[in-house]
Amino acid sequence: MFVEFLNDQLLGFFNMAGDIIEGFNDILVNLMMLIPAVLFAAIVAGLAYWVSRKWGLTLFTLIGLLLIINLGYWEQTIDTLALVLTAVIISIILGIPLGIWSSQSDRASGIISPILDFMQTMPAFVYLIPSILFFGIGVVPGIIASVIFAMPPTIRLTNLGIRQVPEDLVEAANAFGSTTSQKLFKVQLPLAMGTIMAGINQSIMLALSMVVIASLVGAPGLGVEVYRAVQRIEVGLGFESGLAIVILAIILDRITQNLKPGKKG
């Protein structure tokens, strides 16, 4: 009854939100598809070297993406990457402010923590049901379900990182007359950035783990190929598409890990 009430009263909002999310995802797909596949692989490999200064990661990135191209899964990989990036961007936009709020208020933390426990322990398939009711079939319910599943690490580790900032530094900022916002943006957030980036890294991995589940509601990408392989019991198709997901996961994981302060070089 509650879901039906929301669907009746907020139909316009859900339609608008769905259009915005789908439009943003389509823009990402179109922009990435404009770049020739081999050039895109070279750009990502260059990015991997820039953030890590490691030739091993650079070569793995280049060879892995070229293998995906050779297997014929490039378009599906771009669809998957766009879905993951859209879900992670939404998770960051919502998660970091909620994590900051939790770090500044014990009451807020006490309210948000059980909700995060619920979000992380509820089977991911369950999120698809209201997502379909609110947003229909397609990429949007897959993104929404991915956001719900992937956002908790960003919130938790933002909260943890800010709370772990040494008290003497916070007291020094207070002694110099810093306002709450100055203390937050000039002391706490910079020092907590490593932990926050770890949370974003985990959100990326969790969003990527949702691509197969998202394919059940019509989201395009590599998950569709895995689901098709399961339906047809095709070992080769399943291994190839699964390998493409593994390569993409390793690349995203290593690049975001090396974006942490102190990791570069």
Side-chain angles (χ1 to χ4, degrees):
M1 290 175 63
F2 179 65
V3 171
E4 290 177 358
F5 171 79
L6 290 178
N7 206 22
D8 291 338
Q9 301 299 318
L10 300 176
L11 181 62
F13 169 77
F14 290 131
N15 288 337
M16 180 184 69
D19 290 341
I20 292 172
I21 293 170
E22 185 172 8
F24 182 77
N25 183 81
D26 290 343
I27 289 172
L28 285 180
V29 171
N30 293 332
L31 287 176
M32 289 188 286
M33 289 300 293
L34 282 175
I35 305 172
V38 176
L39 178 58
F40 191 96
I43 292 172
V44 176
L47 175 64
Y49 179 75
W50 182 71
V51 300
S52 69
R53 298 294 193 270
K54 296 176 182 176
W55 283 109
L57 175 59
T58 304
L59 290 174
F60 174 84
T61 301
L62 182 60
I63 294 171
L65 293 178
L66 290 177
L67 176 61
I68 291 174
I69 295 169
N70 181 260
L71 291 173
Y73 291 111
W74 185 250
E75 185 176 341
Q76 294 92 325
T77 300
I78 292 297
D79 287 330
T80 297
L81 182 58
L83 187 152
V84 170
L85 290 177
T86 302
V88 170
I89 288 170
I90 296 172
S91 297
I92 291 172
I93 292 172
L94 298 177
I96 290 181
L98 287 173
I100 292 172
W101 184 32
S102 297
S103 70
Q104 304 299 310
S105 169
D106 290 336
R107 178 175 296 179
S109 180
I111 294 172
I112 292 174
S113 290
I115 297 174
L116 297 181
D117 294 337
F118 180 88
M119 291 166 65
Q120 289 185 296
T121 53
M122 177 69 72
F125 286 96
V126 177
Y127 299 134
L128 298 178
I129 303 171
S131 297
I132 293 171
L133 290 175
F134 295 145
F135 300 102
I137 298 294
V139 69
V140 176
I143 291 173
I144 296 300
S146 299
V147 169
I148 296 172
F149 189 68
M151 188 166 54
T154 297
I155 300 175
R156 289 188 189 279
L157 289 178
T158 299
N159 178 20
L160 178 65
I162 293 174
R163 287 180 180 271
Q164 285 184 335
V165 172
E167 285 292 331
D168 55 344
L169 296 179
V170 177
E171 291 173 0
N174 290 330
F176 280 102
S178 299
T179 63
T180 302
S181 60
Q182 288 175 331
K183 181 172 61 178
L184 177 65
F185 288 104
K186 295 184 178 182
V187 178
Q188 293 174 311
L189 282 178
L191 292 173
M193 193 53 64
T195 307
I196 293 172
M197 285 303 302
I200 294 173
N201 173 268
Q202 290 302 305
S203 290
I204 292 173
M205 293 297 101
L206 290 175
L208 195 53
S209 72
M210 285 289 292
V211 296
V212 177
I213 296 175
S215 70
L216 300 177
V217 293
L222 294 167
V224 175
E225 302 301 324
V226 174
Y227 183 55
R228 185 177 296 145
V230 172
Q231 286 184 314
R232 298 177 181 178
I233 318 179
E234 294 185 8
V235 178
L237 177 63
F239 181 80
E240 289 176 352
S241 51
L243 180 62
I245 293 175
V246 169
I247 291 170
L248 185 60
I250 293 173
I251 291 170
L252 291 175
D253 178 61
R254 297 302 185 270
I255 288 177
T256 52
Q257 276 188 10
N258 284 282
L259 283 173
K260 295 179 185 179
K263 283 280 185 182
K264 190 173 174 179

